Amino acid sequence: MCFSRARLAALPLVFGFAFVSLFAGAAYAGPYEDALAGFTQGSLSDTGDAIQKVVASGNPLAEQVLSALQDGRLMYSAEQKAVYIQTKNGKLLYASTGKPFTGKPPDDIDNVIVNNRLRNLISADLGTLMLMSADPDHRINAAQAVFRSRDLGALPNLEKALAKETDPRVKTALEQARAALILSMPGATQAQKLAAIATVRDRYDLDALALLADIPSRETPPVARAATDAIQAIKTRLAEWDAVQNAWYGISLGSVLMLAAIGLAITFGVMGVINMAHGEMVMLGAYVTFAVQEAIRGYDPALFDYSLVIAIPLAFLFSGFVGILIERSIIRFLYGRPLETLLATWGLSLVLQQAVRTIFGPDNRDVGNPSFMSGAFNLGGITVTYNRFWIVCFALVVFVALIGILRFTRLGLEMRAVTQNRPMAASMGIRTSRIDALTFGLGSGIAGIAGVALSQIDNVSPNLGQSYIIDSFMVVVFGGVGNLWGTFVGSFVLGVANKFLEPYAGAVLGKITILVLIILFIQKRPRGLFALKGRAVEA
Amino acid sequence: MSSISTKTFRLTRRRWLKGAGGLALGLMAPIRAFAEDTIKVGILHSLSGTMAISETTLKDVMLMLIAEQNEKGGLLGKKLEPVVVDPASNWPLFAEKARELISKDHVAAVFGCWTSVSRKSVLPVFKELNNILFYPVQFEGEESERNVFYTGAAPNQQAIPAVDYLMSPDGGSVKRWVLEGTDYVYPRTTNKILQAYLKLKGVADEDVMINYTPFSFSDWQTEVSRIKAFGSAGKKTAVVSTINGDANVPFYKELGNQGIKATDIPVVAFSVGEEELAGLDTKPLVGHLAAWNYFESIKTPENEAFIKAWHAFTKNPKRVTNDPMEAHYIGFNMWVKAVTKAGTTDPDKVIATLPGIKQANLTGGISTMLPNHYITKPVYIGEIRADGQFDVVWKTKRLVPGDAWSPYLPGSKDLVADWVTLNCGNYNKITKKCGGA
């Protein structure tokens, strides 16, 4: 059913296409072919003229040429004086006829260069051309393009599209686009303008604000007043959403802090080891993600969207393994000597950094975002980016899993027993040294998982870990050493506080303010938010 | 039993150390062996720490240039010998390593430094021991020293032309400006100059927003949404970015994710080149701009030969080239020409010979060393392509001479630097005295 309808819609298009190309073939070197020659000059102003002429020619290939130009797929050869469209799968078509190109491409073939001015021109023209597209999403994009460009030439097409439109979403977008045109049209009546202002206001977003901004200064008093009121209404609404947006940013920052710190909450908080190489465990996890993606690119690119799912267990195992290795070879000789531990792990962090730098090189590695982590969605008046959204979810899952391990598994029970009273646990038959190694491994493994998440928002470079180590210690100390819930609450409190300070104080001053506040807080409550009570304090 | 085992363990460890030490000595021996009949060239770039990401490449390009020169028969009949040290992104260590290069290794000239703070840290050493430093990175200017030659861009060779382009109809006739930078000396000075320049061009104060973030800043959500809000006041808005190093990748990722396209709010960056984009999915960034004096995508025979040599030298056909590499290329060749002309590597003679030396750059022009120790450079504006390279959309008609002192800052507009006739780096035109404002 759906299939046949799509076909039906395509039919007139195909007919029209065949019809016009027949004519174009007969009338050799018509306006369209002349216009194409402008693309072979290699100059931006000629390209700009050519775009306008191509659109004016009304040739059905115009849409294909413009979208190729927009994506950098329009090729030209100055020697052959020919223009080609490169299809999305890399084949060449003659731009003049739309027929496939056969034979060897010319040596001097190159992309037609566009700049931002031309890109704006193209998207406005494409918008006009695409208003009649069969796909509702294309029509919405086209309407948005007209809304932005305010190209008065699009009005007749817009009216036509509006008369035919049935989809309510597209209809709203088209009406808003028409309102935008009316507001910049010299001949519009006052009633039309007032209605347009009301339509635009209902978007309640920054684009609407941008459109209305200069109206009060250039319009008649009633229109100007309406615009001023609309601007005020939008601003009020945006300010309300702004608070929500800041809270979301804070939660998002908090989730990153928690991911980075929760591994440390185990090694430092539960075991009492000052592990300066904790950040490097995060970094190793990020590099595991990179290695997994490289392998997928080499063997089966179709799996790319699953790369993170594959990387999570591997990163956990690898970082955990390195953690156990460090515990067995260095840290176990240093229990109860915090200064030596600090120095040894600090040195170790430098060794790990330089090792990674030697193996992978000092520059950033390209870790791609899977498709489900790219882009953003709108939730009411705020924009939520997918990568942040999934990281928040992931952080919560990791936290719950960790609590579960500590509370409900045998390992967790033994861990708690050893940290609360080591000699007693040992005399009950728990192999404390094994538990030490496993606890350290668990903390490091969790750090590795954090690395997978952080690879999506930060640089994958040997310095990745360094930027998180201070924040991690800050969170653990603030939340209360030895308490996972403290880390949880601490990271979100710090995240939200930071993000509410940032718009007023700026990023640099905001961070300093947070540090000062923490110092004051620690003076008052040296054991952090959630202090351990009772005998456990002595351990 | 246990004591014996410890003993053997100790012994083996000592033996191992001895072996390792011997190995290290053995490796160093051949370098020292022919120390007498070579000209030594110091390379002072961080190979570890934060700046290794940018500076390692410059060390490699210097090694390549020196190897090429040796194939051509060396210099003054002698082979050139590179001496590489690692200042580890540690500013005081830069000064120590510079001292080591000059007084222990007796290098004829040093090529190095990236950040301005590292350059400032080595300045006294070069003055005291009278040697030559070639500095290859775009920077804030406001300095001219007898012992330093600045082959990177001054603000008038990068920032000012970029702003001019954005103000032009082709750049989008930008009316509102966000100056976004990392919090240290280069962005702060550049933004001060830009602010003065924009004011001169009639931009109102409320149309300029200045914002700084710390090094390695990674949570750009708030900043980007502020830029978005600032850009929706009905006037065309652009961001001038002096964000440095690591912070760029998350910044551009956030821009892409929040859907800010270059056609809405273009970002022109002064510290983002091919190398920085290599770790990034550039498809959402198409159309954002960078201002440099060199782009890898510029097609000239010199550039093609350079890229080919670079790929062969690094044995990696994907390694990109960038602007500071070209600066080292120009600087090194100027030094070679000056030494050949002077017939000696004696720093005083070479410093006196260098101004006026001409060298073809990689983009088809001839750069000249100026009396203020800056060079003439073409300025290109490039737009990011989907493949991480740049399309040149604008360039200056002729090469632009570097200004040591910005004419837009009250403290420096009366100063000139001229080491040929005035023998002074900060001559005051008003008081007619050498020694600053």
Side-chain angles (χ1 to χ4, degrees):
Chain A
M1 183 57 200
C2 183
F3 179 62
S4 69
R5 197 165 52 182
R7 268 204 161 167
L8 263 176
L11 256 179
L13 218 109
V14 172
F15 269 117
F17 180 81
F19 185 70
V20 179
S21 56
L22 212 120
F23 262 83
Y28 186 67
Y32 173 69
E33 283 75 6
D34 285 344
L36 281 184
F39 290 124
T40 61
Q41 304 299 313
S43 106
L44 287 168
S45 57
D46 286 324
T47 308
D49 293 344
I51 292 170
Q52 268 153 0
K53 283 190 205 151
V54 163
V55 174
S57 76
N59 192 297
L61 281 169
E63 190 187 316
Q64 229 181 325
V65 167
L66 288 194
S67 43
L69 190 56
Q70 195 173 34
D71 303 349
R73 290 184 289 108
L74 195 71
M75 319 289 278
Y76 77 103
S77 153
E79 260 171 46
Q80 309 271 331
K81 293 243 170 284
V83 183
Y84 313 93
I85 297 170
Q86 194 175 39
T87 58
K88 292 215 167 97
N89 44 27
K91 292 203 183 74
L92 282 183
L93 309 176
Y94 285 108
S96 50
T97 57
K99 294 203 182 79
F101 174 84
T102 45
K104 193 176 155 295
D107 289 332
D108 66 331
I109 195 161
D110 205 349
N111 299 53
V112 180
I113 292 179
V114 289
N115 64 2
N116 286 326
R117 187 176 67 85
L118 296 184
R119 252 181 229 112
N120 272 325
L121 204 66
I122 296 167
S123 71
D125 287 335
L126 261 183
T128 320
L129 290 172
M130 303 271 278
L131 279 173
M132 303 293 184
S133 163
D135 183 343
D137 286 334
H138 282 182
R139 292 203 298 276
I140 288 185
N141 285 342
Q144 299 281 14
V146 175
F147 182 87
R148 292 243 174 93
S149 72
R150 294 175 232 166
D151 174 15
L152 290 177
L155 194 58
N157 277 353
L158 198 62
E159 299 281 7
K160 243 185 277 172
L162 202 52
K164 282 204 315 197
E165 192 56 62
T166 50
D167 188 326
R169 277 188 318 137
V170 186
K171 203 162 179 126
T172 320
L174 288 172
E175 271 166 0
Q176 284 166 353
R178 189 177 59 170
L181 292 190
I182 286 171
L183 284 178
S184 43
M185 194 164 64
T189 65
Q190 190 168 316
Q192 273 178 322
K193 281 184 183 164
L194 288 176
I197 288 175
T199 314
V200 170
R201 185 199 61 206
D202 288 345
R203 285 175 66 111
Y204 286 112
D205 65 357
L206 291 170
D207 286 333
L209 207 56
L211 185 67
L212 295 174
D214 64 333
I215 288 181
S217 59
R218 66 175 164 86
E219 284 292 346
T220 55
V223 179
R225 208 176 316 121
T228 319
D229 290 348
I231 290 173
Q232 206 48 52
I234 296 174
K235 277 195 176 151
T236 317
R237 181 77 71 91
L238 282 178
E240 287 160 13
W241 279 112
D242 212 33
V244 182
Q245 179 100 56
N246 274 338
W248 163 252
Y249 289 161
I251 290 171
S252 155
L253 176 62
S255 71
V256 170
L257 287 177
M258 189 184 82
L259 271 176
I262 195 110
L264 195 73
I266 294 180
T267 51
F268 175 56
V270 179
M271 292 177 77
V273 174
I274 299 181
N275 180 15
M276 295 302 284
H278 174 74
E280 276 55 50
M281 299 293 131
V282 177
M283 186 245 320
L284 288 181
Y287 271 92
V288 169
T289 319
F290 166 71
V292 167
Q293 289 200 346
E294 273 306 275
I296 285 178
R297 278 191 194 117
Y299 294 112
D300 188 2
L303 280 174
F304 189 77
D305 274 353
Y306 303 98
S307 57
L308 295 189
V309 182
I310 301 169
I312 286 170
L314 290 177
F316 179 81
L317 289 178
F318 184 69
S319 289
F321 171 73
V322 174
I324 290 177
L325 216 64
I326 292 171
E327 202 276 343
R328 285 290 87 184
S329 59
I330 298 170
I331 291 174
R332 74 174 160 139
F333 303 108
L334 299 171
Y335 281 124
R337 290 153 69 186
L339 264 184
E340 283 91 331
T341 320
L342 188 135
L343 279 178
T345 50
W346 169 248
L348 193 72
S349 80
L350 295 181
V351 170
L352 285 172
Q353 273 178 40
Q354 202 59 26
V356 169
R357 198 170 279 132
T358 314
I359 297 169
F360 290 96
D363 40 354
N364 289 337
R365 295 286 114 182
D366 179 11
V367 174
N369 292 9
S371 56
F372 66 90
M373 286 191 86
S374 308
F377 63 96
N378 284 319
L379 194 79
I382 65 169
T383 312
V384 177
T385 52
Y386 275 111
N387 60 357
R388 297 280 177 175
F389 174 75
W390 287 118
I391 285 174
V392 171
C393 296
F394 181 65
L396 295 178
V397 170
V398 169
F399 179 74
V400 170
L402 207 54
I403 289 280
I405 289 175
L406 284 184
R407 177 81 42 99
F408 299 114
T409 64
R410 188 186 165 82
L411 176 70
L413 183 71
E414 290 179 347
M415 260 180 214
R416 283 181 290 142
V418 171
T419 49
Q420 276 170 21
N421 195 326
R422 181 175 293 269
M424 185 68 86
S427 60
M428 299 303 273
I430 295 174
R431 283 166 60 196
T432 53
S433 66
R434 179 173 159 273
I435 294 298
D436 284 339
L438 285 179
T439 312
F440 200 84
L442 179 70
S444 304
I446 296 286
I449 290 185
V452 178
L454 293 183
S455 74
Q456 292 300 306
I457 50 170
D458 208 339
N459 295 285
V460 179
S461 75
N463 307 323
L464 171 70
Q466 269 185 335
S467 39
Y468 288 100
I469 185 76
I470 303 292
D471 286 343
S472 302
F473 271 104
M474 201 169 79
V475 166
V476 174
V477 170
F478 175 67
V481 175
N483 192 324
L484 286 188
W485 281 102
T487 307
F488 180 82
V489 176
S491 53
F492 282 102
V493 167
L494 287 183
V496 172
N498 203 337
K499 283 297 165 185
F500 271 92
L501 277 173
E502 212 179 289
Y504 307 105
V508 181
L509 210 60
K511 183 117 199 191
I512 293 172
T513 317
I514 288 284
L515 284 170
V516 170
L517 288 179
I518 288 185
I519 291 172
L520 292 177
F521 179 82
I522 295 294
Q523 299 290 326
K524 201 88 194 130
R525 285 184 70 116
R527 288 184 175 275
L529 273 180
F530 291 79
L532 285 184
K533 293 189 181 72
R535 258 181 296 177
V537 176
E538 309 305 322
Chain B
M1 183 60 200
S2 83
S3 77
I4 291 172
S5 76
T6 347
K7 211 171 178 184
T8 43
F9 176 60
R10 285 242 171 97
L11 262 177
T12 47
R13 187 162 60 178
R14 192 172 299 156
R15 201 181 294 156
W16 182 85
L17 272 177
K18 241 187 211 168
L23 197 75
L25 275 179
L27 282 174
M28 275 151 80
I31 302 174
R32 304 270 171 236
F34 55 93
E36 278 313 301
D37 43 1
T38 59
I39 297 174
K40 286 187 184 170
V41 179
I43 302 175
L44 184 65
H45 283 301
S46 302
L47 310 177
S48 54
T50 334
M51 292 314 295
I53 178 172
S54 309
E55 294 193 57
T56 311
T57 316
L58 292 184
K59 182 254 317 177
D60 290 340
V61 84
M62 279 313 297
L63 291 180
M64 175 179 98
L65 291 169
I66 290 171
E68 278 181 350
Q69 188 62 34
N70 280 338
E71 269 169 40
K72 284 188 239 164
L75 188 56
L76 303 179
K78 294 180 189 173
K79 289 271 178 226
L80 291 175
E81 182 194 337
V83 184
V84 180
V85 289
D86 177 16
S89 315
N90 174 344
W91 320 137
L93 196 59
F94 266 90
E96 247 170 72
K97 290 287 174 188
R99 186 173 292 277
E100 185 186 313
L101 280 174
I102 301 168
S103 48
K104 207 171 109 239
D105 292 309
H106 304 290
V107 296
V110 177
F111 292 78
C113 298
W114 182 288
T115 57
S116 288
V117 48
S118 67
R119 187 189 69 251
K120 297 269 187 208
S121 142
V122 301
L123 276 184
V125 179
F126 279 87
K127 270 201 241 178
E128 181 200 328
L129 303 174
N130 193 26
N131 206 286
I132 305 173
L133 172 71
F134 281 85
Y135 177 68
V137 184
Q138 37 64 268
F139 73 122
E140 68 279 3
E142 303 298 296
E143 177 185 305
S144 176
E145 291 290 339
R146 182 174 170 272
N147 301 84
V148 185
F149 291 86
Y150 308 87
T151 52
N156 75 315
Q157 292 173 311
Q158 192 186 26
I160 301 278
V163 167
D164 281 339
Y165 169 74
L166 286 172
M167 282 181 176
S168 74
D170 251 336
S173 314
V174 172
K175 299 275 185 300
R176 230 166 130 81
W177 304 84
V178 182
L179 309 182
E180 182 80 50
T182 303
D183 201 2
Y184 75 108
V185 54
Y186 161 65
R188 282 198 179 259
T189 315
T190 307
N191 285 346
K192 224 184 268 170
I193 294 172
L194 283 181
Q195 210 181 351
Y197 183 71
L198 288 173
K199 204 164 188 167
L200 203 73
K201 290 274 169 181
V203 178
D205 280 343
E206 76 259 18
D207 284 338
V208 181
M209 175 167 101
I210 302 181
N211 195 25
Y212 294 102
T213 49
F215 267 105
S216 311
F217 191 62
S218 64
D219 195 324
W220 285 94
Q221 302 180 88
T222 316
E223 305 301 327
V224 168
S225 71
R226 274 173 77 193
I227 291 172
K228 211 166 152 184
F230 188 78
S232 51
K235 291 181 189 167
K236 180 74 182 175
T237 305
V239 180
V240 177
S241 153
T242 38
I243 301 166
N244 220 291
D246 281 6
N248 273 303
V249 174
F251 174 62
Y252 280 107
K253 272 192 182 170
E254 192 65 35
L255 278 181
N257 279 332
Q258 291 205 19
I260 297 187
K261 293 205 197 75
T263 44
D264 308 327
I265 303 178
V267 178
V268 58
F270 301 152
S271 312
V272 176
E274 291 85 350
E275 185 103 357
E276 285 73 19
L277 291 180
L280 205 58
D281 174 20
T282 47
K283 279 182 209 77
L285 307 182
V286 168
H288 285 305
L289 306 138
W292 287 109
N293 311 104
Y294 166 87
F295 284 111
E296 185 178 355
S297 63
I298 293 174
K299 290 200 176 85
T300 61
E302 294 91 350
N303 193 22
E304 267 160 37
F306 181 73
I307 293 169
K308 214 170 139 193
W310 174 241
H311 288 170
F313 182 79
T314 56
K315 299 188 183 65
N316 180 354
K318 280 196 202 151
R319 276 292 280 271
V320 292
T321 58
N322 64 14
D323 181 276
M325 288 170 67
E326 193 223 14
H328 259 343
Y329 169 87
I330 298 172
F332 178 75
N333 281 306
M334 282 182 165
W335 177 75
V336 167
K337 281 184 182 170
V339 170
T340 317
K341 197 172 160 194
T344 169
T345 57
D346 176 52
D348 282 332
K349 299 221 170 78
V350 176
I351 289 173
T353 317
L354 264 164
I357 293 278
K358 289 180 194 305
Q359 166 63 35
N361 56 37
L362 295 175
T363 54
I366 309 276
S367 290
T368 315
M369 180 58 74
L370 301 167
N372 62 1
H373 288 186
Y374 288 59
I375 66 173
T376 58
K377 295 183 136 221
V379 187
Y380 295 92
I381 310 284
E383 283 190 3
I384 298 175
R385 277 197 323 224
D387 65 352
Q389 290 284 336
F390 291 85
D391 276 334
V392 173
V393 292
W394 184 85
K395 64 174 184 179
T396 47
K397 292 199 177 62
R398 55 186 72 82
L399 304 198
V400 181
D403 279 344
W405 301 98
S406 170
Y408 304 107
L409 286 185
S412 74
K413 65 173 188 280
D414 300 328
L415 299 182
V416 280
D418 188 336
W419 291 102
V420 177
T421 51
L422 299 170
N423 198 28
C424 175
N426 50 0
Y427 181 80
N428 194 318
K429 285 182 284 188
I430 309 291
T431 60
K432 309 241 177 263
K433 268 189 207 136
C434 188

